[in-house]
Amino acid sequence: SIPPRKGKRQLARIIEALMCEFAVDFAEVARRTGRGPSEVADRLKGIDTAFPNMLGHTAGAITIRPEARELARMIARYVDAYAASEGHSSAI
């Protein structure tokens, strides 16, 4: 289980990265929030199903494809809603 403060900070950084950089680098988020890259990846579970063909993947990152960038807010909201369903507060 992620301690609440670190969990909120991690979630906020993921949302910021999606909306501002159109990408989430798992190692960068983990380094900034003191959590493991696998925890960052866990926060993004199901995102491919929710937004098919809109995301690019590498072993350690997810990117929003250029043609889907206008949906960055919706994609970030999905991540926030997923976290809220796990008992975390909404960041957006």
Side-chain angles (χ1 to χ4, degrees):
S1 174
I2 299 171
R5 185 165 186 219
K6 288 191 177 189
K8 288 180 184 180
R9 188 171 29 161
Q10 183 185 63
L11 178 60
R13 177 61 193 132
I14 290 169
I15 291 169
E16 176 187 32
L18 285 169
M19 292 184 65
C20 298
E21 301 156 25
F22 306 110
V24 177
D25 179 311
F26 301 165
E28 182 271 337
V29 173
R31 181 185 54 76
R32 289 177 106 185
T33 61
R35 308 306 298 173
S38 63
E39 290 181 25
V40 177
D42 285 347
R43 291 228 183 233
L44 297 167
K45 280 184 181 174
I47 200 165
D48 292 320
T49 303
F51 300 96
N53 304 314
M54 295 183 196
L55 305 169
H57 295 274
T58 63
I62 283 183
T63 59
I64 300 174
R65 296 180 192 264
E67 62 272 14
R69 287 184 176 172
E70 67 265 5
L71 300 175
R73 182 177 293 274
M74 285 178 52
I75 294 168
R77 182 71 183 144
Y78 172 84
V79 173
D80 196 30
Y82 177 78
S85 73
E86 294 182 327
H88 300 285
S89 64
S90 178
I92 295 182

